[in-house]
Amino acid sequence: MIGQGTPVLAAGAGASAGQKLAPHRAVYDMKLGDTEEQAGIAGLSGRMVYDFSGNACEGYSVNFRFVTEFQDTNGGSQITDLQTTSFEEPAAASYQFLSKTFVDQKLVEETRGTAHAGADARTVELKQPAEKSLEIGGDVLFPTEHLLAILKAADENVHFLAADIYDGAETGEKVYATTTVIGTRAVNDLQGNADAVAASLDGETYWPVTVAYFDPSKDDASGELMPVYQLAFRLYENGISSHLKLDYGDFTIHGKMASLELYEEGDCPQD
């Protein structure tokens, strides 16, 4: 299942203070794309909601929800509901997270904890599913730090990046390795042929981006590391994403923006 974090950076590159992310609430209608027989999926529909607020001096809050209903080839169905909330302190000093996964309205997984940035490493204090302390690498990125970094790289015409990221996914003990391909800068030119949702992004600069997520603890029989999934999307220079495509290997899910609400931007106080 997709985590709440997006994009990627060359480890340790950092983000510039001049980058500004637009506080917003985006809703995406999700539907099944290509599927192979071994996936066993007859149909899929769902909705994703991404609510983002904050700024560089106050920190960033994210509320994320991804609900999908699968129909299998045997006539059965299942509803999965992933809900996450997080807060990332300014300069990625710490990252607080709570994640819950429901299957057919039954809670099957809950993860809660706080990660802290140190001089040489980042540490995680987990409260759920069990109390535990662990250490992750000092170059591991938190989600919004990750997003700012990819925007910085894109603006500098860097087209391939790699980084490890931590968003508290699953049991809170996993760090994903990622690689990202950033396409050529483009302008969203709709020429008046758009609905009200798409029109709000008319004239905005974006980059086509594809991020592959890898679990370093898993490889195939040949020893080659295969992606757990890949996420392709348009990333706008204000941090908003559209035209989502999730690729799980034997099936894909497409996400079309159904609504976009822009919140009032709070500026950092001037010195």
Side-chain angles (χ1 to χ4, degrees):
M1 192 61 65
I2 183 176
Q4 69 188 46
T6 333
V8 26
L9 145 95
S16 71
Q19 291 168 313
K20 291 184 65 174
L21 302 176
H24 68 283
R25 182 179 188 271
V27 179
Y28 306 88
D29 287 333
M30 313 299 289
K31 67 177 183 179
L32 184 65
D34 298 328
T35 181
E36 299 181 8
E37 185 176 353
Q38 63 264 29
I41 299 175
L44 178 149
S45 60
R47 176 157 282 198
M48 180 188 294
V49 180
Y50 182 82
D51 193 299
F52 177 88
S53 60
N55 57 38
C57 55
E58 297 174 348
Y60 299 100
S61 296
V62 173
N63 287 285
F64 174 86
R65 189 173 184 183
F66 186 19
V67 181
T68 52
E69 181 175 8
F70 288 86
Q71 292 82 39
D72 63 37
T73 52
N74 296 320
S77 65
Q78 177 179 287
I79 297 176
T80 301
D81 184 354
L82 170 64
Q83 304 175 18
T84 69
T85 60
S86 66
F87 175 73
E88 197 167 317
E89 282 196 66
S94 73
Y95 173 65
Q96 302 170 40
F97 56 91
L98 171 62
S99 177
K100 296 181 179 182
T101 301
F102 298 83
V103 175
D104 293 331
Q105 299 183 327
K106 180 181 179 181
L107 180 65
V108 297
E109 187 173 85
E110 180 177 356
T111 306
R112 178 166 58 93
T114 303
H116 298 275
D120 300 316
R122 295 189 166 187
T123 57
V124 179
E125 298 295 328
L126 290 174
K127 297 298 184 183
Q128 292 284 351
E131 291 198 12
K132 186 174 184 178
S133 298
L134 58 142
E135 187 175 291
I136 56 179
D139 289 333
V140 174
L141 304 179
F142 300 145
T144 303
E145 181 183 26
H146 194 206
L147 173 59
L148 285 165
I150 197 174
L151 285 167
K152 179 177 183 289
D155 192 53
E156 295 176 352
N157 294 317
V158 175
H159 296 289
F160 182 82
L161 298 168
D164 294 336
I165 65 169
Y166 180 83
D167 64 3
E170 299 184 38
T171 61
E173 299 183 47
K174 185 164 293 186
V175 173
Y176 280 99
T178 66
T179 60
T180 297
V181 175
I182 306 169
T184 303
R185 183 194 308 259
V187 175
N188 203 29
D189 184 6
L190 302 174
Q191 298 180 348
N193 299 318
D195 56 30
V197 176
S200 63
L201 295 171
D202 191 18
E204 296 288 340
T205 296
Y206 72 89
W207 295 266
V209 171
T210 301
V211 186
Y213 292 79
F214 301 87
D215 182 349
S217 66
K218 298 179 180 179
D219 55 29
D220 65 11
S222 69
E224 182 181 359
L225 197 62
M226 302 297 292
V228 178
Y229 67 90
Q230 296 185 77
L231 173 60
F233 54 100
R234 289 184 181 181
L235 177 60
Y236 293 86
E237 60 183 347
N238 59 7
I240 295 174
S241 298
S242 71
H243 297 73
L244 310 183
K245 180 183 178 182
L246 289 160
D247 186 345
Y248 291 95
D250 53 6
F251 71 98
T252 63
I253 304 174
H254 293 268
K256 178 181 179 182
M257 187 180 286
S259 68
L260 175 63
E261 178 183 358
L262 297 175
Y263 300 144
E264 183 177 350
E265 295 188 35
D267 292 327
C268 290
Q270 299 296 319
D271 295 332

